[in-house]
Amino acid sequence: MQEFVTPPPVERGDSVAVVAPASNVPPELSHVYELGLERLRETFDLEPVEYPTATKDPEWLAEHPEERAQDVMDAFEDPDISAVITNIGGNDQIRVLPHLDPDVLREHPTRFYGWSDNTNLACYLWNQGIVSYYGGSTLLEYAMDAEMFDYSVEYIGRALFEESIGEWEEADCFTDQAGDWAEPRSLDYHRDIEPADGRTWAGGEGPVEGRIWGGCFEVLDQWFVHDEWLPDPADLEGCVFAMETSEELPHPGMVKGWLQALGEAGYLDAFDGVLVGRPAARNHTPAGDTPAHERETFREQHREVVESVVAEYNPEAPVVMDCEFGHTYPTCPLPIGGEVRIEPETETLMLR
């Protein structure tokens, strides 16, 4: 396996780049963005530097993938920038990748934070041997309604300021409710927060340790269709697979079919362990919310699908579900390319 570098930690008072390499909110929702910048300054004592894409509207970004790539490369090259923080996800970042110069990224490794569509950049950086962080976006974790989750503050802080995150403990609550960004006053009130029942463990009982590869299910699916940057199963031998699903709420049957395809292609057998983010289960459309009992049934179906398919192709691999990364909150920025130790006997996770 190739050598990996974890970019240097950030220090309080440092300048960090704010970019939009995926999508963005339209100008009329700038109050959410401004709250995210405020929290970067006040909670973490960082100075956000707004790169050109950070305030562009979604339509402009869709038409200029080359400019999105340029912002990322400019931020990596800038010696005064300690980290690159993305605004939000999207659904077309795969169009950005052809415009990246991998030499620029390798020569100037910088801590990168983003999730969802930013899976593209996380996996691209993985190919360059650069550890990045799956989580910590301006418009979501930083601009969370009412206040940031204490859990997010703790683990984003570790991902920013420490050499490694250390023991990854469970959160005691979560939300997958969408924010009502069209109503500025909604930012003064908490989203619907539910108690968390802890993680679900399945599969092999022995401890494993490996480098993390993966991200958002719907984005990884694009990589397997357009496989220009996709590692071979042999390149992922001994790694730990991380996956989570978005607010698009992919049907458990779809997830099952996709995982079976990974199994038939030799990928599930290559991984030594699997980490699964707690699936979002709420309906984000204006038609209304999803009832609580339907949400729990949806999550249980997802657990059953992952457990059964991994058991079919790799029964020795421990599987840890309902982890704190992805499209529910709070989150821990998961180090893609970093190492995780999975201890089924004590049900502990250690991120290095």
Side-chain angles (χ1 to χ4, degrees), residues 56-262:
K56 296 292 186 180
D57 63 63
E59 291 76 15
W60 188 94
L61 293 172
E63 294 171 359
H64 296 87
E66 72 286 351
E67 297 294 333
R68 292 186 269 163
Q70 192 62 54
D71 259 16
V72 172
M73 292 187 293
D74 288 348
F76 269 62
E77 280 191 294
D78 190 335
D80 295 326
I81 292 296
S82 296
V84 181
I85 297 173
T86 64
N87 278 350
I88 198 171
N91 60 12
D92 78 332
Q93 194 180 80
I94 197 166
R95 298 171 56 235
V96 171
L97 303 186
H99 302 286
L100 294 170
D101 183 342
D103 292 335
V104 169
L105 302 174
R106 283 195 298 267
E107 291 168 11
H108 305 278
T110 306
R111 294 204 174 193
F112 177 86
Y113 301 83
W115 50 267
S116 193
D117 200 25
N118 292 290
T119 296
N120 284 289
L121 274 164
C123 290
Y124 190 92
L125 291 169
W126 196 98
N127 289 349
Q128 316 313 317
I130 301 171
V131 174
S132 65
Y133 294 85
Y134 193 79
S137 288
T138 315
L139 293 163
L140 275 304
E141 289 95 336
Y142 288 101
M144 180 55 60
D145 307 57
E147 61 185 343
M148 291 184 70
F149 282 95
D150 290 341
Y151 185 96
S152 292
V153 172
E154 171 68 24
Y155 283 95
I156 288 176
R158 294 190 199 183
L160 285 167
F161 303 123
E162 304 295 335
E163 292 287 349
S164 61
I165 292 174
E167 184 174 353
W168 183 15
E169 298 181 345
E170 299 176 351
D172 59 8
C173 64
F174 77 97
T175 185
D176 59 358
Q177 183 181 41
D180 182 10
W181 289 348
E183 174 48 72
R185 289 176 298 179
S186 72
L187 291 176
D188 296 331
Y189 303 97
H190 291 94
R191 299 187 189 184
D192 184 10
I193 298 173
E194 304 176 44
D197 294 330
R199 297 171 183 152
T200 303
W201 291 70
E205 299 179 356
V208 301
E209 187 168 338
R211 292 198 178 274
I212 301 169
W213 183 89
C216 181
F217 162 83
E218 292 92 328
V219 178
L220 294 174
D221 187 43
Q222 297 174 18
W223 272 56
F224 281 91
V225 173
H226 177 61
D227 63 355
E228 179 176 353
W229 303 284
L230 182 67
D232 291 328
D235 298 325
L236 297 171
E237 194 74 36
C239 289
V240 170
F241 180 43
M243 66 162 282
E244 58 93 15
T245 52
S246 79
E247 76 281 1
E248 294 179 0
L249 310 186
H251 189 277
M254 179 183 293
V255 176
K256 180 177 182 179
W258 185 77
L259 287 172
Q260 287 175 328
L262 290 190

Side-chain angles (χ1 to χ4, degrees), residues 324-346:
E324 294 80 0
F325 71 97
H327 285 75
T328 67
Y329 314 96
T331 64
C332 167
L334 194 63
I336 304 298
E339 294 183 339
V340 60
R341 181 170 178 83
I342 303 174
E343 291 272 7
E345 185 176 352
T346 57

